[in-house]
């Protein structure tokens, strides 16, 4: 595995946590992206440099493994490493450690560059990726596909996309999809279960003012854990799919 490793200390704030004072997965991913953006800036290839080329980074997929979610006021260390890339895709890993050095969360991600004007994926320029010292490989890394929503057991909620849901790329911030997906579960479930693994795949942008449908179905896996399948749609088009394996809280 190649690529420069960058790390950042972070103390968890109360507004980054849920009702049980555990850090939320959507907030953790936001902070992870901030850390990777900070690495890019320090390497001289931050968002402004990327924007000068008419490009912007987009996230295509996350694969998340949770040993435990850190809690309010804990000090954690987040590390990130751009592992490898090919002509279109870049693969980056994140790890979260507690103050004793125990691994709490691992996130593997797939990034791509988008041509901002055409709203299409673009080839990765050598000068943008070189500072990370990551490995070029023609091999495509295929993450697990999310479990499909069971149409016969599905329920759904509707949401109007608000101004504060969108980011500087003028589309919905990817953490919002996670919040929409999890909000289909009731508070009793969310306060008695924790995420064990999650895979989430982003298909199509969602924009300001659109009406989204957040769909969910659930099953049990071989270990008797709960698996929820999620789908975000606008106007009948799938924007995002996700699946989450849950464990009962201790």
């Amino acid at each position: 595995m190649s690529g420069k490793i960058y790390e950042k200390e972070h103390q968890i704030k109360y507004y980054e946590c849920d009702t049980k004072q555990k850090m939320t997965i959507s907030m953790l991913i936001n902070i992870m992206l901030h850390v990777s953006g900070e690495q890019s800036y320090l390497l001289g290839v931050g968002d402004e440099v990327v924007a000068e080329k008419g490009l912007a980074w987009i996230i295509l997929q996350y694969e998340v493994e949770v040993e435990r979610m850190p809690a309010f006021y804990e000090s954690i260390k987040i590390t990130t490493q751009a592992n490898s890339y090919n002509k279109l895709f870049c693969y980056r890993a994140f790890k979260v450690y507690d103050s004793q050095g125990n691994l709490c969360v691992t996130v593997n991600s797939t990034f791509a560059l988008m041509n901002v004007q055409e709203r299409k994926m673009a080839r990765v320029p050598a000068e943008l990726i070189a500072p990370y010292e990551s490995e070029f490989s023609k091999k495509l890394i295929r993450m697990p596909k999310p479990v499909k929503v069971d149409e016969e057991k599905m329920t759904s909620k509707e949401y109007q996309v608000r101004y504060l849901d969108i980011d500087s790329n003028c589309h919905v911030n990817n953490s919002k999809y996670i919040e929409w997906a999890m909000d289909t579960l009731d508070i009793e479930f969310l306060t008695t279960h924790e995420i064990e693994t999650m895979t989430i795949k982003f298909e199509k942008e969602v924009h300001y003012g659109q009406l989204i449908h957040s769909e969910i179905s659930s099953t049990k896996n071989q270990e008797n854990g709960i698996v929820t399948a999620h789908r975000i749609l606008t106007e009948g088009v799938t924007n995002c799919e996700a699946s989450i394996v849950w464990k009962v809280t201790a």
Side-chain angles (χ1 to χ4, degrees):
M1 185 180 294
S2 63
K4 291 182 176 179
I5 297 176
Y6 181 73
E7 62 182 52
K8 181 84 171 182
E9 300 285 338
H10 178 79
Q11 188 175 58
I12 298 170
K13 315 297 190 299
Y14 77 92
Y15 53 80
E16 297 167 348
C17 299
D18 59 19
T19 59
K20 299 188 72 177
Q21 295 195 327
K22 294 288 186 70
M23 194 175 200
T24 67
I25 193 69
S26 56
M27 187 60 71
L28 178 59
I29 285 177
N30 277 334
I31 293 168
M32 286 178 171
L33 290 179
H34 175 77
V35 173
S36 65
E38 190 171 280
Q39 181 190 32
S40 299
Y41 174 79
L42 293 173
L43 290 175
V45 285
D47 288 345
E48 290 184 1
V49 175
V50 175
E52 287 173 359
K53 297 181 178 294
L55 303 171
W57 287 107
I58 56 173
I59 298 100
L60 301 179
Q61 190 165 359
Y62 291 122
E63 182 183 13
V64 181
E65 294 184 15
V66 180
E67 299 296 329
R68 75 169 183 91
M69 287 302 294
F72 170 58
Y73 214 66
E74 271 195 80
S75 292
I76 57 175
K77 180 175 73 175
I78 299 170
T79 70
T80 186
Q81 183 178 31
N83 295 333
S84 64
Y85 71 101
N86 52 49
K87 290 188 293 185
L88 289 176
F89 305 115
C90 299
Y91 305 104
R92 178 181 281 275
F94 299 87
K95 293 183 184 294
V96 179
Y97 299 90
D98 64 20
S99 58
Q100 284 75 47
N102 300 308
L103 179 64
C104 296
V105 183
T106 301
V107 177
N108 292 311
S109 61
T110 303
F111 283 70
L113 282 166
M114 176 183 67
N115 183 301
V116 175
Q117 186 171 359
E118 297 178 359
R119 311 304 286 184
K120 293 180 180 179
M121 284 200 305
R123 291 172 67 99
V124 179
E127 64 270 22
L128 288 185
I129 203 70
Y132 300 102
E133 298 182 6
S134 58
E135 176 186 7
F136 176 82
S137 174
K138 293 182 179 180
K139 182 180 178 181
L140 295 177
I141 298 177
R142 301 191 184 278
M143 295 185 187
K145 293 182 179 179
V147 176
K148 295 289 185 181
V149 168
D150 186 332
E151 303 281 351
E152 295 182 357
K153 299 178 181 178
M154 178 195 76
T155 59
S156 67
K157 281 187 174 183
E158 290 185 350
Y159 300 89
Q160 191 84 32
V161 179
R162 305 164 304 172
Y163 174 73
L164 293 180
D165 293 331
I166 59 176
D167 59 22
S168 58
N169 287 328
C170 297
H171 61 198
V172 169
N173 184 281
N174 65 86
S175 66
K176 297 297 179 182
Y177 295 85
I178 299 172
E179 294 175 3
W180 288 331
M182 291 181 63
D183 194 51
T184 55
L185 293 155
D186 61 38
I187 191 168
E188 181 181 356
F189 182 92
L190 291 170
T191 53
T192 55
H193 291 77
E194 294 179 348
I195 294 174
E196 191 170 76
T197 63
M198 178 179 72
T199 181
I200 181 166
K201 187 175 183 181
F202 304 98
E203 301 282 358
K204 187 176 174 60
E205 296 173 294
V206 177
H207 299 282
Y208 172 72
Q210 287 189 294
L211 182 67
I212 73 105
H213 297 263
S214 180
E215 300 177 342
I216 181 175
S217 64
S218 64
T219 56
K220 288 189 176 181
N221 61 15
Q222 293 180 343
E223 291 75 33
N224 213 33
I226 301 295
V227 181
T228 54
H230 303 266
R231 181 169 59 191
I232 306 296
L233 301 99
T234 52
E235 301 174 1
V237 175
T238 298
N239 301 92
C240 170
E241 289 182 298
S243 54
I244 305 173
V245 178
W246 300 86
K247 59 185 177 182
V248 178
T249 55

